[in-house]
Amino acid sequence: MPAPTPRVEIDLGKIEANARTIAGLCRKAGVNDVIGVTKGALAHPGVARAMLRGGVSGLAESRLENLARLREAGFHVPLTLLRLPSLSQVGEVVRLADRSLNSEPETLRALSRAAAAAGRRHGVTLMVELGDRREGMSPEEVVAAARLVAELPGLELVGVGTNLTCYGAVIPSPTNLGRLVEIAEEVGRATGRPVPVVSGGNSSSLPLAVAGRIPRGITELRVGDAILRGHESAHGELVPGAHDDTFTVVAEVIEVRQKPSLPEGELGRDAFWNVPTFVDRGVRRRAILALGRQDVAPENLAPLDRGMIVLGASSDHLLVDVDEAADPVRLGDEVRFRPNYAGILQAMTSPYVHKVERSGAGGERR
Ligand SMILES: *Cc1c(COP(=O)(O)O)cnc(C)c1O
């Protein structure tokens, strides 16, 4: 039976291979732990399992719903909450996560109360803001926060960490990551206990590891994009030996006709209230696919057939110029696309897109 459309095909064998490649090159660079970040795939259990088979030492997520999904799937590895906990959700946080990343003393106190009430100790990584201007306290505040964590009965200081290349696009360097290692040492001296984990960022820290320039003392990276898609996110390059053909979006042709490139009539705004622009390529063969912005934004999809051009989309129609397609496109055909990170996230989030696991040669599970 043919697989349903629209669908996203997930190559678990390649995701596993990417995890193995990245965990291996991190270990070689002195970084012992890679935490597999599953949020790009909404904690799809098959993806999480592939990451673990490839050798990541734990899993991390931004959302409690996804942590619950991992718990329900029966994973018994350490689970980290990446997004700072909401004050209103501390009970769920200590129930679902072994550890969370934190920057607010008030949240730490609330987490401690919730953990103590549940008879647990919750692990804390203190986030330090080193230039990217997203989450984290300033370096001067970390020692006081570490002392607070040491005093709170429900908490245990697991580490210090930073996050770069997310808001400010700041690239990890021996300088900013070296500063994080110094901060960990200061905290160790102040509390009398060495800080076990120094968490040096996300996929954008991989080029440093590859180049052998990651500072000694960084013990952990939290990696999603590079495992899911093979690309580091500092320069957007393929990690040596990694695969980028891991996710494929497939949609079906519901109309194929010759049409002029330019609209005819008085122009207003499109379905999303944008003022569109058009390139006049003359009369062209154009396909409409059963996929839309409610599934994946068209700018996040690259056709595997290089002769095709994505023209645009409304909520549920994707328009593709197929005039120069390598193979002639007919009604009912399937067209295949490579999604970028945002495209993977959107396809995995859309309830209309079927998720189909593939594990290498021919194998298919749903
Ligand atoms: C998303 C996220 C990561 C993983 O980022 P990738 O670019 O997917 O590797 C790591 N840390 C935090 C805090 C995150 O929010």
Side-chain angles (χ1 to χ4, degrees), residues 37 39-40 62 82-83 101 127 134-135 162-163 165-166 201-204 222-228 233 341:
V37 174
K39 68 189 183 199
S62 274
L82 293 170
R83 187 166 66 183
L101 310 185
M127 293 302 276
R134 202 178 78 174
E135 74 269 48
T162 196
N163 195 60
T165 340
C166 270
N202 55 50
S203 293
S204 70
R222 312 173 303 271
V223 181
D225 197 7
I227 296 177
L228 294 178
S233 43
Y341 184 79

Side-chain angles (χ1 to χ4, degrees), residues 36-119:
V37 174
T38 51
K39 68 189 183 199
L42 273 75
H44 187 80
V47 169
R49 225 169 278 124
M51 287 184 172
L52 288 168
R53 279 198 303 271
V56 302
S57 21
L59 298 171
E61 256 305 330
S62 274
R63 290 171 192 260
L64 294 175
E65 291 84 348
N66 292 353
L67 284 175
R69 192 177 185 190
L70 293 173
R71 289 282 180 217
E72 274 153 30
F75 287 99
H76 295 296
V77 296
L79 298 186
T80 298
L81 177 65
L82 293 170
R83 187 166 66 183
L84 306 175
S86 304
L87 273 179
S88 61
Q89 295 178 328
V90 288
E92 290 290 279
V93 173
V94 301
R95 186 170 70 79
L96 294 169
D98 301 289
R99 167 178 81 146
S100 56
L101 310 185
N102 283 276
S103 67
E104 291 282 8
E106 190 180 343
T107 307
L108 290 171
R109 289 191 194 93
L111 281 173
S112 175
R113 282 193 297 274

